Amino acid sequence: MMLQDLKPYLAVIFLQFGNAGLVIIAKAALNHGMNHYTFAVYRNLVATLVIAPFALFFERKGRPKLTFSIFIKIMLLGLLEPVIDQNLYYAGMQYTTATFAIAMCNIIPAMTFIMAWICRLEKVNIKKLHSMGKIVGTLVTVGGAMIMTVVVGPTIGLPWSKGSTTAHNQQSTAPVSAGDNIKGSMMIIAGCLSWSCFYIVQALTLKSYPAELSLTALICAAGTLQGSIVTIIAERGNNEAWRLQWDAGLVTIVYGGVICSGLGYYLSGIVMKEKGPVFVTAFNPLSMVIVAILGSIVLSEQMNLGRVLGAVVIVVGLYLVIWGKSKDESQSNSKFDPDELPPVNQQIPMTISIKKLGNEDHDHSLSIAMPPTNETFNKINGK
């Protein structure tokens, strides 16, 4: 039972490890000339080829009917993240740095929370402590990520990162002009907004098409088709952009397609059905912590006090979000919540007749409003 409860948390942590790894290798591949348009196309093509056989085998019987409205949602999903977000995000990364790009992604939890609240995918009652915990926790995780980005502080000497400070700083401090920084920032922000919209539409689509593998394969296929059209228009006459080579770009395409697009969409869909889109995106700031730790170990990057302090704040914020979500689940599993009683005009009228013994001509009726039963209460609230 405990392992079953841990599965959603392990899944979202795996997603953040996958995203952090992709940021590191994608920046290196982009610096070596990888085209972000063709990267998005090939990445989604790889994801389609990997996920489609599993969808055909495991969901061949229970797959829902593909209606026109579901088809439109899938095409929208294929446009929002595989095309718009990926191209804007990696184009913005070319104008800035990998650290800056992943830091900007920490606005996704706040964007997703607001949109989920508007679309009624997230229960929020500001009068309740656990709802305030979710709101404060989301803001705290974003703030922690900003602390990691802005605050530097003294360097913390780690045994595996000594002796490389000067060389690393000379290699990693490439100047970025103010114009490029603004242009890249706007691209990344627009990409994050598109990614947040993707999560909301995915949660809505799963309600009418609860087949995670099939939905993942269709999203990636739609992204491949639409991304190819965009790339043909944007890179017309540039046939070199489509050429694949045995280099870091090919590794990035395969890694991004299998881990981040294929498994990423599938796992986020499974967790989203149980926990909602806010839970999935609340862990996004964790990728900054992972990048900082991996960068310190693998790339011998220096760890400073700002990164450690920001990481602690992120963990506190995640705890508040998880606590608030757990309280939501405990209340939804309970049979009856007095705080959610319908208004008096929606309660069930009940008439009690009082007749005087031996005189049936006198009938005194008393009408009172009674709270509905659990079954009737759920019908009233559309549950």
Side-chain angles (χ1 to χ4, degrees):
M1 185 66 180
M2 187 175 181
L3 181 61
Q4 189 70 23
D5 295 336
L6 284 175
K7 282 183 179 180
Y9 301 94
L10 296 176
V12 291
I13 291 173
F14 172 80
L15 291 177
Q16 297 313 315
F17 269 100
N19 291 334
L22 181 62
V23 167
I24 294 173
I25 63 175
K27 179 59 177 176
L30 289 168
N31 289 342
H32 285 83
M34 182 180 70
N35 186 287
H36 64 83
Y37 288 109
T38 53
F39 165 59
V41 173
Y42 285 135
R43 167 181 166 175
N44 289 289
L45 178 61
V46 170
T48 304
L49 296 176
V50 171
I51 298 297
F54 291 96
L56 292 173
F57 180 77
F58 289 105
E59 294 178 347
R60 63 184 183 276
K61 292 183 179 179
R63 189 184 299 112
K65 183 179 179 182
L66 186 63
T67 62
F68 180 74
S69 62
I70 295 174
F71 173 77
I72 294 299
K73 290 177 183 177
I74 290 172
M75 294 302 292
L76 179 60
L77 287 168
L79 179 65
L80 285 172
E81 208 285 321
V83 179
I84 297 177
D85 171 55
Q86 289 180 25
N87 279 294
L88 287 176
Y89 179 77
Y90 292 110
M93 188 188 294
Q94 285 181 309
Y95 287 107
T96 57
T97 63
T99 304
F100 181 82
I102 201 168
M104 292 296 290
C105 282
N106 294 300
I107 64 176
I108 292 177
M111 288 180 173
T112 307
F113 187 91
I114 293 171
M115 286 189 282
W117 189 355
I118 294 172
C119 296
R120 297 185 178 181
L121 293 172
E122 187 70 22
K123 292 181 179 180
V124 178
N125 186 347
I126 58 175
K127 295 181 180 179
K128 294 186 178 181
L129 184 61
H130 66 271
S131 288
M132 290 302 298
K134 291 190 296 183
I135 297 173
V136 174
T138 303
L139 296 175
V140 168
T141 54
V142 175
M146 294 300 104
I147 290 173
M148 291 187 70
T149 308
V150 177
V151 180
V152 180
T155 301
I156 300 174
L158 298 174
W160 55 81
S161 62
K162 290 181 179 180
S164 59
T165 307
T166 304
H168 175 73
N169 287 340
Q170 290 176 351
Q171 293 175 3
S172 62
T173 55
V176 178
S177 67
D180 286 347
N181 193 51
I182 294 174
K183 188 188 298 183
S185 299
M186 297 304 293
M187 288 181 174
I188 294 171
I189 290 172
C192 290
L193 178 61
S194 180
W195 200 353
S196 298
C197 293
F198 173 84
Y199 281 122
I200 299 300
V201 178
Q202 185 184 17
L204 294 172
T205 306
L206 283 168
K207 292 180 179 295
S208 54
Y209 195 79
E212 295 86 358
L213 283 171
S214 299
L215 183 61
T216 299
L218 290 170
I219 291 172
C220 294
T224 304
L225 175 62
Q226 296 176 86
S228 299
I229 296 172
V230 172
T231 305
I232 290 171
I233 296 172
E235 298 291 333
R236 57 186 178 277
N238 183 16
N239 295 327
E240 288 293 322
W242 295 93
R243 181 173 295 180
L244 293 175
Q245 298 179 352
W246 294 95
D247 57 4
L250 184 61
V251 175
T252 307
I253 289 169
V254 175
Y255 178 91
V258 176
I259 302 297
C260 297
S261 289
L263 285 176
Y265 297 162
Y266 172 65
L267 290 177
S268 64
I270 290 179
V271 176
M272 204 176 292
K273 284 177 66 177
E274 181 180 350
K275 300 285 188 178
V278 173
F279 180 86
V280 176
T281 57
F283 285 76
N284 271 37
L286 192 62
S287 59
M288 273 203 72
V289 181
I290 297 169
V291 168
I293 296 173
L294 291 180
S296 172
I297 297 173
V298 178
L299 303 176
S300 297
E301 292 183 348
Q302 295 297 310
M303 184 73 71
N304 56 55
L305 184 60
R307 289 186 174 184
V308 175
L309 180 62
V312 172
V313 173
I314 287 173
V315 171
V316 173
L318 287 176
Y319 174 80
L320 289 174
V321 174
I322 293 170
W323 174 78
K325 293 292 293 182
S326 65
K327 291 296 182 180
D328 277 346
E329 292 171 8
S330 63
Q331 286 195 2
S332 63
N333 291 333
S334 63
K335 291 184 178 180
F336 190 71
D337 186 0
D339 294 332
E340 293 186 357
L341 275 175
V344 175
N345 59 358
Q346 291 185 9
Q347 294 188 12
I348 309 299
M350 180 178 293
T351 301
I352 301 177
S353 296
I354 304 174
K355 295 182 179 181
K356 190 176 180 181
L357 186 62
N359 189 353
E360 296 183 357
D361 295 334
H362 293 82
D363 186 356
H364 302 279
S365 298
L366 176 64
S367 294
I368 59 174
M370 297 290 292
T373 61
N374 290 330
E375 182 180 356
T376 311
F377 173 69
N378 292 334
K379 288 181 180 179
I380 291 173
N381 289 275
K383 295 184 178 180

